[in-house]
Amino acid sequence: MLINYVAPEVIGFTASVNQFVAEYVKEDPKRLIPVRKLHPRHTTNILADVEQLLRLKIGMIKIHPPPSSCFPTIT
């Protein structure tokens, strides 16, 4: 798996890292699975972000609250 982190405040990676990961795994798609992280505080349209994920053929979404500086809640 090739996992990226959109976490500009924590590690400096912006959403542009998603395109990099999508291109990188094209070299060996049988061995590499692209994993994308959506940052809830850096999106204006979550549906558009998921549609972009599908266009890039990202294989998995990672939910990781600490780098996003947010905390999950159960409602």
Side-chain angles (χ1 to χ4, degrees):
M1 281 187 258
L2 185 59
I3 301 173
N4 65 340
Y5 286 90
V6 175
E9 296 91 349
V10 179
I11 58 175
F13 290 162
T14 64
S16 64
V17 74
N18 294 320
Q19 183 67 40
F20 170 80
V21 169
E23 294 298 321
Y24 188 89
V25 299
K26 286 181 182 178
E27 294 298 318
D28 197 347
K30 291 183 179 179
R31 244 184 81 223
L32 299 170
I33 300 170
V35 179
R36 178 179 177 186
K37 179 179 176 289
L38 296 174
H39 195 303
R41 293 189 311 131
H42 290 278
T43 184
T44 56
N45 186 337
I46 194 71
L47 181 58
D49 285 353
V50 171
E51 288 172 346
Q52 175 67 8
L53 176 146
L54 294 172
R55 280 191 295 278
L56 293 173
K57 298 182 179 166
I58 301 293
M60 201 179 303
I61 298 175
K62 180 174 178 62
I63 299 170
H64 193 200
S68 300
S69 300
C70 65
F71 301 95
T73 58
I74 298 172
T75 57

